[in-house]
Amino acid sequence: MRKTTGAIGLGAALAVSAVLGIGTSGAAHAAPAKPQSLYPPSALVLTVGWGADAATTEVQRAVTLSCRPTPTGTHPAPTQACAELRSVGGMFGQLRTGAESGRVCTKEWHPITVTAEGIWDGRRVSYEHTFANNCFKSAAPTLVFEF
């Protein structure tokens, strides 16, 4: 009888401490998860490397670019790059990657590949484009891959 009364008393004490949050558990004091932003995520990793495709290219340079809520990252011109991406709705394939008129580039084949991986306005993005050589890459009228 004495053991039963002690067990009931211990159970009641544990129940009261759980209700009052007095126990050793940290779960009672955890703050509820809150969204960090009202904007959909936008975070990209942009790379440039010598090679004919992303699978065999050795990355030479890489930068980060985040456009929401404000343009940030290691990209040298995040505000302009984000503005270009917004103008095409984040569709990298619609960026003007052709050479400017009047720019003369040699026809040598020394491929350079640019990539973009990450999230744009909440959707996953994976983009790859290969230029014939660095002259054609530099002639493209876009700042997104100028780093």
Side-chain angles (χ1 to χ4, degrees), residues 50-126:
W50 296 106
D53 59 48
T56 59
T57 298
E58 186 175 319
V59 174
Q60 302 297 312
R61 294 181 305 278
V63 296
T64 58
L65 180 65
S66 179
C67 296
R68 295 274 177 119
T70 58
T72 61
T74 58
H75 193 286
T79 303
Q80 295 87 345
C82 288
E84 283 183 9
L85 285 172
R86 275 191 215 100
S87 73
V88 295
M91 304 298 290
F92 283 86
Q94 294 181 3
L95 287 172
R96 297 181 313 167
T97 54
E100 293 177 354
S101 60
R103 175 91 185 235
V104 178
C105 290
T106 63
K107 299 291 183 182
E108 74 176 302
W109 179 248
H110 188 60
I112 187 166
T113 300
V114 296
T115 66
E117 297 284 336
I119 306 293
W120 177 265
D121 281 343
R123 66 179 166 79
R124 190 166 299 281
V125 174
S126 182

